[in-house]
Amino acid sequence: MIESFCMQYVELVQGLYQKPARISPKFFYDAKGSALFEDITRLQAYYPTRTEQSILAANAPEIARAVGANRTVIELGAGNCQKAIVLCESIHPAYFLAVDISEEFLHDAVATMRLSFPNMEIQAIAADLTSDIVLPPSLPTARRLVFYPGSSIGNFDPSQALALLSRMRGLLADDGALLIGVDLVKSETVLNAAYDDDEGVTAAFNLNVLDHVNRLIGSDFDTRQWQHRAFFNAEQSRVEMHLEARADLLVRWHDGSRRFSEGERIHTENSYKYRVEDFVDLLGRAGLTRTQVWTDEQAWFAVVLARP
Ligand code: AVJ
């Protein structure tokens, strides 16, 4: 616990000293940030969650057939487990393990899961997917299904995504599988609206990271002095989120400080958008082959089943 606290401190401070400064998107998810993200998923402009849900619902029987019975499901970035509930209703796994970075959030979610599935073995662990994922020793190794919905893979740049997919591959035996949600390239207008909604929910989500950082490193960020920026970077095929200083600022923390000039930005998130072929390619490099791909009518989002 203390070790992870120190590592977070060092990681955050190093990021703040970089030019441009950066804060990893994993720091969005304190209790308030997790709740704000849930609000985002209900926005009209934010298409990924409902599109993925509709793909999972429309193809539930086919997905269940392709996945098969008696799985041990490992959901990464489980959040409120909403998607897992739908999946578990159709595939009836024997075991379910929820992995998420936000510990507080996970406990409520797992309690809900236990009520819905009294016969399923359910466990939860808090873990940061950017470091090694240590599974409980009691988790069966046979017939694992790693479930990574929501296009959370989009937060990682291609080399990190490859590393993460390879680690997921490492959790699987020959009979294992990966079911992953991937957001696809689409019109810039749709993308920009999804990450800069009129209601300002995404702005609040982005700004909240500063309050979280203040608690983690004792800094004095004032959210009123920062502005939400989000836009599609076509060259890198990613939506970028930044926080932009509204004036010249000095930000202090326990053992340091940094000046920001008016207009200077802190890079808080990348959300990569893939073409299906490119994603299948990436899977291949991680030692995984596509079994099946399901998409929506507009091909805005894909759910991919892959195996070693
Ligand atoms: C949770 C990483 C999938 O990239 O769409 C939503 C996070 N950021 N709105 C995404 C997010 C701004 C989300 N992921």
Side-chain angles (χ1 to χ4, degrees):
M1 210 50 200
I2 288 172
E3 188 186 300
S4 94
F5 185 79
C6 290
M7 281 163 56
Q8 285 195 342
Y9 191 99
V10 170
E11 179 184 351
L12 278 166
V13 167
Q14 277 178 354
L16 289 176
Y17 280 133
Q18 277 174 41
K19 293 234 164 191
R22 46 174 59 251
I23 298 172
S24 163
K26 70 185 176 194
F27 295 108
F28 284 138
Y29 303 96
D30 63 350
K32 186 174 172 200
S34 298
L36 280 166
F37 178 67
E38 269 204 18
D39 294 342
I40 289 176
T41 65
R42 287 189 283 262
L43 291 171
Q44 187 50 42
Y46 191 76
Y47 63 85
T49 310
R50 77 178 123 80
T51 307
E52 182 180 53
Q53 268 161 1
S54 74
I55 296 167
L56 290 171
N59 301 285
E62 204 179 301
I63 294 171
R65 259 197 311 281
V67 166
N70 274 316
R71 287 287 183 181
T72 287
V73 173
I74 302 167
E75 183 178 20
L76 304 179
N80 62 12
C81 293
Q82 258 326 103
K83 290 163 192 162
I85 289 172
V86 177
L87 181 73
C88 291
E89 272 164 357
S90 68
I91 71 167
H92 304 291
Y95 287 80
F96 177 78
L97 174 71
V99 184
D100 198 275
I101 192 160
S102 173
E103 195 153 8
E104 310 112 289
F105 215 65
L106 205 52
H107 282 110
D108 295 350
V110 164
T112 315
M113 283 293 278
R114 291 214 165 95
L115 289 176
S116 314
F117 303 97
N119 299 319
M120 198 163 76
E121 189 70 47
I122 302 172
Q123 287 180 292
I125 54 169
D128 169 356
L129 301 185
T130 59
S131 38
D132 252 332
I133 308 161
V134 183
L135 300 178
S138 60
L139 199 80
T141 46
R143 295 197 56 72
R144 285 180 179 171
L145 175 76
V146 171
F147 183 42
Y148 195 40
S151 197
S152 298
I153 192 73
N155 267 171
F156 302 94
D157 68 34
S159 71
Q160 296 169 321
L162 177 58
L164 178 55
L165 291 170
S166 304
R167 262 184 287 134
M168 292 178 191
R169 163 69 185 89
L171 302 175
L172 305 174
D174 289 346
D175 59 3
L178 168 68
L179 187 64
I180 185 167
V182 188
D183 199 12
L184 303 178
V185 178
K186 61 186 61 62
S187 109
E188 205 165 317
T189 320
V190 173
L191 288 170
N192 288 340
Y195 291 82
D196 193 7
D197 63 281
D198 295 336
E199 287 154 81
V201 182
T202 309
F205 172 73
N206 196 7
L207 286 161
N208 176 65
V209 81
L210 298 179
D211 287 328
H212 190 202
V213 169
N214 283 346
R215 288 199 309 280
L216 292 170
I217 67 165
S219 50
D220 62 356
F221 279 106
D222 178 350
T223 55
R224 292 167 301 181
Q225 295 174 316
W226 297 85
Q227 194 175 2
H228 169 65
R229 295 278 182 213
F231 51 85
F232 184 57
N233 175 339
E235 206 171 297
Q236 306 271 2
S237 198
R238 68 191 190 199
V239 173
E240 296 182 9
M241 297 215 308
H242 302 259
L243 290 165
E244 188 177 300
R246 292 182 189 270
D248 291 349
L249 299 171
L250 173 66
V251 177
R252 298 169 214 261
W253 54 89
H254 284 315
D255 59 353
S257 65
R258 173 169 173 169
R259 284 182 193 286
F260 292 91
S261 328
E262 183 181 342
E264 201 174 340
R265 291 170 177 173
I266 304 173
H267 192 166
T268 53
E269 183 169 50
N270 288 321
S271 187
Y272 281 84
K273 307 304 170 190
Y274 285 91
R275 295 187 312 149
V276 173
E277 316 83 87
D278 295 339
F279 191 75
V280 168
D281 218 68
L282 194 62
L283 284 172
R285 285 192 279 145
L288 293 157
T289 63
R290 160 198 44 189
T291 311
Q292 235 168 312
V293 181
W294 296 273
T295 60
D296 55 294
E297 259 170 34
Q298 305 183 93
W300 277 7
F301 200 96
V303 173
V304 180
L305 181 65
R307 57 180 170 75

